[in-house]
Amino acid sequence: TSGPTWKGLAGSTVTLSDGRKVVADTAYLTKAIVDPKAEGPLGYPKVMPSFAHLSPGDVAAIVAYIEGLPKD
């Protein structure tokens, strides 16, 4: 697996590759989409491409989708 699942991601605590723990809130999810190599999750290679070319509205729609996924 090259990355964690989106299911249950929103609102969860994510351990980053540098050992810090952050909450996967709207700001974190947005940054992970636009600049995925900035703060990658521990245990996964930093291979996701940047989606900085997407409009802010498109990024917000993806984040809203992730936030709407079931927790379990």
Side-chain angles (χ1 to χ4, degrees), residues 16-70:
L16 302 177
S17 57
D18 65 5
R20 289 182 296 129
K21 293 183 187 246
V22 298
V23 174
D25 59 8
T26 301
Y28 172 80
L29 294 171
T30 299
K31 186 172 185 177
I33 292 167
V34 175
D35 188 11
K37 292 182 173 89
E39 297 183 324
L42 181 65
Y44 295 98
K46 293 184 178 183
V47 296
M48 184 172 147
S50 170
F51 288 90
H53 63 280
L54 296 177
S55 72
D58 287 343
V59 174
I62 294 168
V63 170
Y65 172 78
I66 294 169
E67 291 175 335
L69 291 173

Side-chain angles (χ1 to χ4, degrees), residues 4-10 12 65-66 68-72:
T5 180
W6 287 355
K7 189 175 181 182
L9 175 61
S12 70
Y65 172 78
I66 294 169
L69 291 173
K71 299 291 181 200
D72 51 13

